[in-house]
């Protein structure tokens, strides 16, 4: 049998035996009852040992319980052996001490469970106590003391017990409700305490009132039950949860509290009203009791109101500030903006909003961890606040990686822009985190209140947001001032976004192909597949327009998978049809979002399998941002596709981070020099030396080099002298649709046969070979 079941069994045994004993005590007379009481008190000892050893009760608790038990044994012994006033006084004192100890024990448990004893709890307990006292006084004690004639010493002694029983009763209620109501031990302890108090009450009243003679026997039975139930509680498997600090707080809910309190007031008020006072002393006791009760209720009301107000204030503060930086949040900032605009309606000022959006903040969080991310945010908040206070502006934090500055002072857009620039310079200083120094940049949207047009704070915020997106589009880390024309762009973007959904199902995408030629031989070595969107309105949308939107919405994953399979399938068809030799490759562009999808390698594998093209004929082109933004996923995905035999090209080289370490960290086989540099190769010595350096670097690392965007013969000639391996550009061919592939290849074949190609003459011998046109 498991120890839990054993404990449950013993616990039940205590209850059963206790019930039998109580029955006996009720029937068999005082002496037997006293013996049975003693037996059950002694039976508490093993329960306390189990509580200490098995349930690991706090040792102080065990000592206190032991002391209470000793008191009760002492009480029983004194009562049985000592007579007269001396015995009476001694037993009363022992009883008093035991009750004070119990009050301390229960208060300690309640305190432990709640973490602290709330003023409201104490007041509730006191109100119930006083209410019960008032009822007792009017209904029981007063008649016993005054109507029964002279006050005997014994009656007085018994009556003094009552005020002590009341706090215990109140505490017992608090005990029960501060604990878990689904745990037996909690109920058993509450029952044990209630039985004890009831027994004491009956005892006390038996002395003061002329109650039926059976009352003493009932009290004895109650005591027997008290200890039996106490033993059952300590044995019960749920006993450890009586103290555990991790107690889930279950306060008596407000409605049930109110009901208990209201109910406890009905009886005393009614009794005070209908029972005629016996004499002056009675009036004095009633009046003072009523006054104290009133004061307590008043105090409770005050306490509740104050708690509510404080809670509301705390909630209000929390709803208006950001936790991390304690800066006002979006709602608060928008409200302040509206106020600022209302106030400057008649003045020269145009309150302005500067929305700072941290560039690529996700990277910082991902690479340094959220704790460092939080540090960075906190430092930026501090710096911005310092700079803003010099301008008399307020800083807020509308979202995780955004700061909003409300500047009430500018008198023109020009001034707003220069103020925003001052604040933007805050980002020039590096930030020190526990992981080293980082630089964080921000894109800033500036919006200024227009003159002569009422505007809400929310609208001005939206303007700043639109401008901020323009700043992001312009390459980040810069400022943009809101202009109404930006709204059109936003609307246009929304339109494209809507139409893009379903474009794949409607088969609106096409692939165009741009040849990549071998500079030395003039032969076509492969094609780059470039996507086009045939819009239902008849226009052809360039990828520059819709690919970024497809990226933002995540649609690029599906579109990219389609492009991959389509490009490979077309390559296979051309090979089978004899249009291209079996060595020709196809390059497919892969966007960061696609590579960030862990299933990307599977997509590649499936496209290769379905198209029956050898993996080494596929080049995947991607920019460095992929590797910088998601280094871990990029590394593992690229290794997997590389292992299949697929090759990887670094696109637009020179425009991004151009970190040479990437070339070592990732399995890259080709560099594509961005057309920006190829464009300047003839006229700009810087561009020329960059191209030369990249070609030299590629050679030393055994990488293939492709120059993009070759538009003039001069550029091609220079590339040849620099030993650039491959070239691609409008000079050789525009991207052409798949149907035009046969004629394009045929035209380029004749180009390769031209002897002049290799030497490149002063005239333009290639003019006739331009094919197609996108
Ligand atoms: P990219 O990968 O750098 O592609 C080369 C771009 O340069 C193409 O623009 C091409 O038409 C253009 N180009 C080629 N030769 C010349 C030249 O001599 N002069 C000039 N001025 N431009 C030249 P396109 O087709 O508009 O594509 C733009 C970008 O869209 C591509 O840049 C690529 O990043 C993206 N893209 C295209 N197709 C796909 C795709 O299937 N998936 C993904 N994710 N992105 C794609
Ligand atoms: Ca490309
Ligand atoms: Ca490119």
């Amino acid at each position: 049998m498991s120890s839990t079941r054993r404990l449950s069994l013993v616990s039940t045994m205590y209850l059963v035996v206790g019930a039998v004993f109580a029955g006996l005590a009720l029937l068999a007379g005082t002496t037997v009852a006293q013996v049975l009481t003693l037996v059950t008190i002694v039976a508490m000892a093993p329960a306390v040992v189990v509580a200490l050893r098995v349930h690991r009760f706090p040792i102080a608790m065990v000592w206190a319980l032991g002391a209470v038990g000793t008191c009760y044994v002492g009480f029983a012994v004194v009562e049985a052996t000592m007579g007269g006033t001396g015995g009476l006084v001694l037993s009363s004192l022992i009883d008093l001490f035991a009750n004070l100890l119990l009050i301390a024990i229960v208060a300690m448990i309640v305190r432990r469970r709640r973490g602290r004893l709330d003023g409201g709890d104490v007041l509730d307990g006191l109100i119930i106590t006083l209410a019960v006292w008032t009822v007792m006084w009017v209904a029981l004690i007063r008649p016993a003391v005054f109507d029964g004639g002279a006050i005997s010493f014994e009656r007085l002694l018994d009556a003094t017990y009552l005020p002590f029983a009341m706090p215990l009763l109140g505490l017992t209620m608090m005990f029960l409700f501060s604990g878990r109501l689904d745990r037996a031990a909690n109920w058993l302890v509450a029952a044990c305490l209630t039985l004890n108090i009831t027994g004491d009450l009956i005892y006390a009243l038996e002395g003061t009132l002329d109650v039926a003679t059976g009352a003493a026997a009932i009290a004895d039975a109650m005591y027997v039950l008290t200890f039996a139930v106490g033993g059952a509680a300590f044995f019960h498997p749920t006993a450890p949860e009586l103290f555990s600090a991790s107690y889930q707080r279950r306060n008596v809910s407000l409605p049930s509290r109110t009901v208990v309190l209201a109910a406890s007031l009905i009886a005393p008020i009614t009794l005070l009203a209908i029972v005629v006072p016996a004499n002056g002393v009675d009036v004095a006791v009633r009046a003072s009791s009523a006054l104290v009760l009133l004061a307590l209720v008043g105090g409770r009301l005050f306490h509740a109101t104050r708690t509510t107000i404080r809670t509301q204030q705390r909630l209000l503060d929390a709803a208006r500030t950001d936790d991390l930086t304690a800066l006002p949040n979006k709602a608060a900032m928008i409200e302040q903006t509206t106020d600022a605009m209302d106030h400057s309606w008649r003045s020269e000022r145009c309150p302005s909003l500067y929305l700072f959006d941290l560039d690529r903040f996700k990277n910082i969080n991902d690479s340094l961890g959220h704790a460092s991310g939080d540090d960075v945010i906190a430092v930026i908040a501090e710096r911005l606040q310092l700079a803003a206070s010099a301008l008399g502006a307020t800083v807020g934090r509308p979202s995780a990686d955004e700061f909003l500055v409300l500047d009430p002072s500018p008198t023109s857009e020009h001034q707003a822009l220069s103020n925003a620039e001052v604040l933007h310079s805050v980002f020039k200083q590096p930030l020190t985190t526990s992981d080293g120094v980082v630089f964080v940049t921000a894109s800033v949207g500036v919006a200024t209140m227009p003159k002569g047009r009422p505007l809400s704070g929310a609208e001005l915020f939206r303007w700043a947001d639109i401008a901020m997106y323009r700043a992001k589009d312009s390459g980040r880390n810069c400022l943009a001032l809101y202009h109404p024309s930006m709204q059109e762009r936003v609307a246009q973007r929304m339109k494209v976004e809507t139409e893009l959904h379903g474009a794949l199902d409607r088969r609106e995408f096409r692939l165009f192909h741009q040849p990549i030629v071998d500079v030395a031989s003039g032969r076509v070595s492969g094609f780059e597949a470039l996507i086009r969107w045939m819009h239902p309105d008849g226009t052809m949308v360039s990828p520059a327009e819709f690919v970024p939107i497809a990226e933002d919405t995540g649609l690029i994953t599906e579109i990219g998978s389609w492009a991959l399979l389509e490009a490979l399938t077309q390559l296979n068809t051309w090979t089978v049809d004899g249009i291209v030799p079996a060595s020709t490759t196809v390059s497919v562009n892969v966007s960061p979002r696609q590579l960030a999808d862990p299933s990307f390698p599977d997509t590649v594998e499936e496209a290769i399998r379905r198209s029956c093209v050898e993996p080494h004929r596929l080049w995947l082109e991607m920019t460095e941002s992929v590797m910088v933004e998601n280094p871990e996923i990029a590394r593992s995905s690229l290794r997997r596709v590389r292992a299949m035999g697929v090759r990887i090209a670094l696109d637009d080289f020179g425009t991004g981070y151009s970190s040479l370490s990437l070339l070592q960290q990732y399995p890259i086989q080709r560099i594509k020099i961005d057309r920006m540099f190829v464009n300047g190769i003839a006229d700009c010595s810087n561009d020329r030396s960059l191209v030369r350096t990249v070609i030299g670097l590629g050679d030393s690392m055994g990488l293939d080099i492709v120059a993009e965007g070759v538009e003039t013969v001069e550029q091609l000639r220079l590339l040849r002298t620099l030993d650039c391996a491959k070239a691609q550009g409008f000079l050789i061919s525009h991207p052409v649709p798949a149907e035009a592939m046969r004629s394009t290849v045929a035209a380029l074949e004749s180009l390769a046969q031209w002897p002049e190609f290799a030497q490149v003459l002063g005239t333009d011998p290639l003019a006739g070979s331009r094919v197609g046109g996108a």
Side-chain angles (χ1 to χ4, degrees):
M1 201 188 330
S2 75
S3 69
T4 311
R5 288 206 47 196
R6 245 194 329 256
L7 288 171
S8 294
L9 200 73
V10 178
S11 176
T12 316
M13 257 166 54
Y14 264 74
L15 289 180
V16 174
V17 174
V20 173
F21 276 20
L24 283 177
L26 204 56
L27 301 172
T30 320
T31 323
V32 176
Q34 279 176 348
V35 172
L36 288 176
T37 310
L38 262 177
V39 171
T40 43
I41 292 177
V42 174
M44 278 291 279
V48 172
V49 171
V50 166
L52 178 68
R53 288 284 168 82
V54 181
H55 298 322
R56 309 247 162 248
F57 272 31
I59 188 77
M61 185 64 57
V62 175
W63 277 111
L65 286 170
V68 174
T70 313
C71 282
Y72 285 137
V73 174
F75 181 89
V77 170
V78 168
E79 197 159 65
T81 56
M82 271 176 81
T85 317
L88 204 66
V89 171
L90 190 59
S91 64
S92 293
L93 279 178
I94 292 176
D95 197 30
L96 202 74
F97 183 69
N99 278 306
L100 284 175
L101 255 179
L102 268 182
I103 288 178
I105 291 173
V106 181
M108 197 171 114
I109 301 177
V110 173
R111 212 192 107 92
R112 199 177 158 128
R113 283 175 168 187
R114 296 229 164 155
R116 69 197 170 89
L117 212 49
D118 178 58
D121 295 344
V122 175
L123 282 169
D124 284 354
L126 286 176
I127 289 173
I128 294 172
T129 305
L130 211 76
V132 177
W133 154 256
T134 310
V135 172
M136 305 282 297
W137 171 260
V138 177
L140 303 169
I141 305 171
R142 184 200 56 103
V145 173
F146 298 119
D147 300 351
I151 309 169
S152 78
F153 179 65
E154 190 182 344
R155 287 183 172 189
L156 212 60
L157 256 191
D158 281 335
T160 50
Y161 163 72
L162 294 168
F164 289 97
M166 298 310 125
L168 202 52
L169 203 62
L171 270 172
T172 303
M173 310 248 309
M174 282 165 58
F175 169 85
L176 181 66
F177 289 113
S178 66
R180 290 187 55 168
L181 298 178
D182 57 348
R183 290 292 182 266
N186 194 39
W187 286 97
L188 287 172
V189 170
C192 160
L193 288 166
T194 314
L195 282 165
N196 183 34
I197 297 161
T198 324
D200 282 354
L201 279 177
I202 295 174
Y203 230 87
L205 293 176
E206 196 246 4
T208 52
L209 285 176
D210 294 324
V211 287
T213 37
I218 296 177
D220 283 337
M222 294 272 183
Y223 289 137
V224 171
L225 273 180
T226 297
F227 299 113
V229 172
F234 289 173
F235 263 106
H236 201 272
T238 57
E241 292 185 59
L242 287 171
F243 307 98
S244 70
S246 65
Y247 239 99
Q248 189 191 348
R249 278 187 59 168
R250 287 224 186 146
N251 288 338
V252 192
S253 65
L254 203 59
S256 55
R257 257 187 198 222
T258 318
V259 168
V260 169
L261 281 184
S264 69
L265 291 177
I266 292 171
I269 291 172
T270 319
L271 280 178
L272 284 176
I274 60 170
V275 177
V276 184
N279 53 29
V281 178
D282 187 14
V283 171
V285 173
R286 287 179 184 212
S288 46
S289 303
L291 276 177
V292 176
L293 195 57
L294 200 70
L296 285 174
V297 172
R300 183 72 185 94
L301 213 64
F302 172 77
H303 184 272
T305 316
R306 199 184 51 180
T307 311
T308 314
I309 291 173
R310 282 187 183 164
T311 313
Q312 265 171 355
Q313 192 56 46
R314 223 176 300 137
L315 286 176
L316 219 64
D317 288 348
R320 300 179 57 81
T321 51
D322 159 53
D323 277 348
L324 176 62
T325 57
L327 291 176
N329 63 12
K330 183 171 166 182
M333 284 303 282
I334 284 180
E335 214 167 275
Q336 287 187 34
T337 309
T338 308
D339 284 352
M341 289 196 292
D342 286 349
H343 282 118
S344 38
W345 192 230
R346 283 177 211 286
S347 78
E348 279 302 295
R349 306 194 180 287
C350 335
S352 301
L353 286 180
Y354 316 139
L355 181 62
F356 290 77
D357 187 289
L358 308 184
D359 298 326
R360 299 196 178 88
F361 191 68
K362 196 177 161 293
N363 294 352
I364 294 200
N365 264 339
D366 289 352
S367 54
L368 303 182
H370 281 265
S372 289
D374 283 355
D375 290 349
V376 167
I377 292 283
V379 174
I380 294 175
E382 223 167 82
R383 290 182 184 174
L384 263 181
Q385 254 179 314
L386 197 70
S389 67
L391 296 171
T394 319
V395 184
R397 187 172 173 225
S399 74
D401 57 354
E402 285 181 339
F403 289 96
L404 183 66
V405 178
L406 166 62
D407 184 355
S409 62
T411 49
S412 66
E413 285 187 338
H414 178 76
Q415 201 188 345
L417 258 183
S418 72
N419 283 357
E421 237 154 61
V422 170
L423 294 175
H424 193 221
S425 61
V426 156
F427 289 87
K428 291 203 180 105
Q429 306 156 40
L431 293 150
T432 319
T433 71
S434 47
D435 296 271
V437 174
V438 290
F439 278 92
V440 176
T441 62
S443 305
V444 192
V446 177
T448 297
M449 180 181 99
K451 280 285 161 208
R453 158 146 151 54
L455 195 74
S456 72
E459 213 168 337
L460 194 67
F461 178 79
R462 206 169 54 79
W463 288 8
D465 197 45
I466 290 173
M468 185 276 288
Y469 272 103
R470 170 56 64 86
K472 288 254 182 231
D473 282 350
S474 317
R476 300 186 168 103
N477 193 21
C478 59
L479 289 82
L481 178 69
Y482 172 79
H483 187 271
S485 66
M486 291 179 184
Q487 297 258 28
E488 287 158 33
R489 230 185 85 84
V490 172
Q492 168 66 16
R493 201 188 144 95
M494 295 273 288
K495 186 168 160 273
V496 171
E497 207 179 298
T498 317
E499 288 168 347
L500 210 52
H501 282 277
L504 201 58
D505 290 339
R506 294 191 301 267
R507 299 167 177 273
E508 288 170 4
F509 294 113
R510 300 274 181 286
L511 286 186
F512 275 42
H513 301 269
Q514 187 174 38
I516 299 172
V517 300
D518 194 306
V519 175
S521 68
R523 272 216 311 275
V524 177
S525 75
F527 300 90
E528 175 173 2
L530 295 157
I531 198 164
R532 303 286 179 266
W533 179 17
M534 301 301 172
H535 195 270
D537 69 9
T539 55
M540 191 170 75
V541 189
S542 120
E545 201 168 314
F546 70 85
V547 166
I549 300 175
E551 283 229 9
D552 286 351
T553 54
L555 283 170
I556 194 69
T557 320
E558 280 174 64
I559 299 174
S561 305
W562 171 85
L564 185 65
L565 182 61
E566 179 75 3
L568 287 171
T569 311
Q570 286 175 349
L571 181 67
N572 189 46
T573 313
W574 298 330
T575 317
V576 171
D577 292 352
I579 298 174
V580 299
S583 59
T584 310
T585 62
V586 68
S587 304
V588 178
N589 290 286
V590 175
S591 76
R593 187 84 181 242
Q594 279 173 274
L595 198 72
D597 182 356
S599 67
F600 176 71
D602 301 327
T603 310
V604 176
E605 195 165 26
E606 192 187 326
I608 289 171
R609 191 175 47 74
R610 285 177 58 181
S611 62
C612 305
V613 169
E614 290 105 322
H616 70 265
R617 297 180 69 192
L618 172 64
W619 282 95
L620 294 178
E621 296 194 358
M622 54 199 77
T623 56
E624 291 149 300
S625 60
V626 177
M627 296 151 206
V628 177
E629 277 166 30
N630 263 320
E632 286 321 311
I633 297 184
R635 216 188 309 275
S636 78
S637 287
L638 291 185
R639 289 214 176 114
R640 275 186 64 196
V641 291
R642 183 67 201 113
M644 295 172 208
V646 174
R647 287 178 289 180
I648 293 147
L650 202 53
D651 209 352
D652 302 346
F653 192 80
T655 58
Y657 308 82
S658 299
S659 150
L660 297 178
S661 68
L662 290 180
L663 295 172
Q664 282 153 352
Q665 289 172 31
Y666 293 87
I668 292 160
Q669 289 78 47
R670 173 185 275 180
I671 293 177
K672 295 191 79 174
I673 304 175
D674 192 72
R675 67 166 178 269
M676 192 167 89
F677 306 102
V678 175
N679 192 29
I681 193 173
D683 317 307
C684 173
S685 61
N686 271 351
D687 286 352
R688 192 160 48 240
S689 70
L690 183 128
V691 172
R692 185 183 292 121
T693 312
V694 174
I695 291 172
L697 179 87
D699 273 349
S700 69
M701 295 179 74
L703 298 176
D704 189 36
I705 305 284
V706 177
E708 291 188 304
V710 181
E711 292 182 356
T712 67
V713 177
E714 178 64 3
Q715 288 166 0
L716 187 63
R717 194 186 61 78
L718 281 167
L719 285 169
R720 215 183 117 65
T721 55
L722 291 174
D723 272 339
C724 180
K726 297 193 174 72
Q728 172 186 2
F730 291 168
L731 174 72
I732 300 151
S733 167
H734 276 270
V736 297
E739 308 83 75
M741 193 45 68
R742 192 182 288 273
S743 57
T744 305
V745 172
L748 288 176
E749 223 152 69
S750 62
L751 163 116
Q753 282 157 10
W754 289 359
E756 302 94 313
F757 184 77
Q759 292 130 28
V760 186
L761 303 171
T763 53
D764 183 356
L766 306 168
S769 71
R770 292 195 193 169
V771 198

